[in-house]
Amino acid sequence: FGKIFFDEVVCSHVIEHVKDDRKCLKEINRVLKKRGVLYLRVPNIHNLHTKFHIKIGSRNPYTDRTHLREYERESLVKMLEETGFKIKSVKQSGFFPPVGLKFSMVASHYLPWGQFMEYFGEKFPTHAAEIKIIAIKQ
């Protein structure tokens, strides 16, 4: 496996579950070919669901109880740059209402909920559900 390299790596909602996210990004960088592309998606810590649960002091306030952390845009960009990536684009999208994911799941059966949530995420990117980054191995 030591000599296999990839043109692209898709890492969607993974590193927030990993004990050492920096080490994980370094390994992704190692296995990418020169100028290889990383497509990264992580939860935004400033989404309203998480902000609400932090405010009330929930033991694990994150949008998913298996998350070890959620990310701020600036610190994530910095960590990617420190692990050998050049940022091509950053976008924040989607939306988690503070009412909870179960409500959202039920609502999605009766309403075009996903379209509503994407719309709100685009209008209020600071509070969007996720951060999407495209980064190039330097």
Side-chain angles (χ1 to χ4, degrees):
F1 286 112
K3 297 189 188 242
I4 297 175
F5 295 96
F6 300 92
D7 295 316
E8 300 176 341
V9 171
V10 176
C11 188
S12 182
H13 292 273
V14 174
I15 68 170
E16 65 272 14
H17 300 275
V18 176
K19 184 177 180 181
D20 190 341
D21 54 353
R22 183 177 295 275
K23 183 178 177 183
C24 182
L25 290 172
K26 286 179 182 178
E27 181 63 11
I28 290 169
N29 187 285
R30 186 189 71 76
V31 301
L32 274 171
K33 292 179 181 176
K34 187 174 184 177
R35 306 280 307 147
V37 181
L38 168 62
Y39 299 93
L40 181 68
R41 293 169 70 158
V42 297
N44 175 20
I45 196 164
H46 296 296
N47 73 73
L48 292 182
H49 181 273
T50 297
K51 285 184 81 74
F52 173 75
H53 285 274
I54 288 172
K55 186 79 167 168
I56 65 171
S58 293
R59 199 183 71 188
N60 182 340
Y62 303 131
T63 53
D64 178 330
R65 295 210 182 277
T66 65
H67 289 177
L68 301 177
R69 72 194 71 75
E70 291 183 351
Y71 294 88
E72 291 182 316
R73 178 184 177 131
E74 294 78 18
S75 59
L76 180 61
V77 166
K78 183 179 178 188
M79 183 168 49
L80 283 161
E81 291 171 343
E82 291 171 352
T83 55
F85 291 96
K86 180 179 180 186
I87 306 304
K88 185 174 178 183
S89 71
V90 181
K91 181 180 178 187
Q92 292 177 232
S93 67
F95 198 75
F96 283 137
V99 294
L101 296 175
K102 289 179 184 174
F103 173 82
S104 295
M105 291 171 65
V106 170
S108 69
H109 289 289
Y110 304 101
L111 301 167
W113 194 254
Q115 293 170 344
F116 290 144
M117 295 303 101
E118 278 301 313
Y119 173 80
F120 287 124
E122 289 173 11
K123 293 298 177 191
F124 306 101
T126 301
H127 299 295
E130 66 182 355
I131 304 167
K132 299 175 185 178
I133 295 183
I134 300 174
I136 309 295
K137 177 179 179 171
Q138 295 194 63

